[in-house]
Amino acid sequence: MKKVLWIILGCTIASIGVLILRHSHVVTGGTAGLSLSLSYALPLSFAVIFFLINIPFYLFSFFQMGWKFTATTIGSVSLLSLLTSLDHLLPSFTLPSLMGAVTGGLIAGLGLSILFMNGASLGGANILALFAQRKFGWDPGKVNFSFDFLVVLSSMYSIGISKGIFSVISIAITGFVISYFKQKIALHNQPTSASVTQPLDNALSK
C-alpha cells in the first residue's frame, strides 16, 4: 500500500508538470512530449494520444522488465492520462514559456524519479532508460534526455524553434533531476537474476 501511495503521488506530481508545460506551450520528451506535440496538431486530447502511443512499449516492458513492472507502468500511464484529462475543468490560462519550461521540467522530473524509485514509469523512453540502467548501468537521466531530445527536435514543426529551445531547457532539467536520484533509482531497478527478462519481484519488495 505504501508503494501504491508513492506511485499515485508520483503520477500526480508528474501530471502537474505536464499541465504546466502544456499551458506554457512547451513540450517535454518521451511519449508524454510526443503526445503533447500531437495534441497541438490533432483533434484528440493529450490523454487519449498518450494512452494509445504507449501500447507498443508495454509489450517490450513485459518481456524485458517483467509483468509487475509492466502492470505498475500501465496503471501509472492510465492515472496520468486521467489526471491530465481534468485540464478542461481548470480556467483557461497561459504561462511564460521560460518559467513553464523550468518549473514544469523540475516538477515532471521529480514525479518521474518517484515513479522510478517505486518500480513504475510513464512508458516509452522511461522503460528504455530503466532497461538500459539495469542491463548496462547507464545513467537513466542521460538516456532519458537523449530520447527526449529527439522528440523535441521532431516537434519543432508544430511548436516553432523558440518554443523548441524552451523545450530543450525543460528536458535538460528533467534529466538532471532524474540523474540526481540515479543511485536511489538503481537500488530499486536491479535484476533478480542474470536474465533481464525476469520480473522485478525482489526489487519491488524492498
Side-chain angles (χ1 to χ4, degrees), residues 19-152:
L19 290 177
I20 290 175
L21 292 171
R22 184 169 193 178
H23 284 274
S24 307
H25 296 286
V26 174
V27 300
T28 184
T31 52
L34 184 58
S35 300
L36 266 179
S37 178
L38 291 175
S39 70
Y40 297 141
L42 298 176
L44 294 173
S45 69
F46 166 82
V48 172
I49 298 173
F50 181 60
F51 185 82
L52 293 177
I53 208 170
N54 270 290
I55 292 177
F57 292 96
Y58 296 151
L59 294 175
F60 176 86
S61 176
F62 179 79
F63 290 107
Q64 298 296 333
M65 301 295 285
W67 69 268
K68 190 173 289 187
F69 174 85
T70 304
T72 54
T73 292
I74 292 175
S76 299
V77 170
S78 300
L79 180 57
L80 186 76
S81 298
L82 174 63
L83 291 173
T84 54
S85 69
L86 301 178
D87 189 23
H88 69 279
L89 299 177
L90 299 176
S92 179
F93 66 94
T94 301
L95 297 172
S97 296
L98 180 58
M99 184 185 78
V102 174
T103 305
L106 280 171
I107 295 175
L110 178 60
L112 282 170
S113 297
I114 291 174
L115 290 174
F116 288 177
M117 286 186 284
N118 287 276
S121 74
L122 291 178
N126 294 172
I127 296 173
L128 300 178
L130 289 178
F131 172 76
Q133 184 187 42
R134 282 187 59 187
K135 189 167 180 64
F136 307 111
W138 294 355
D139 184 333
K142 293 180 180 178
V143 174
N144 214 65
F145 173 79
S146 298
F147 285 108
D148 291 352
F149 185 71
L150 294 177
V151 171
V152 170

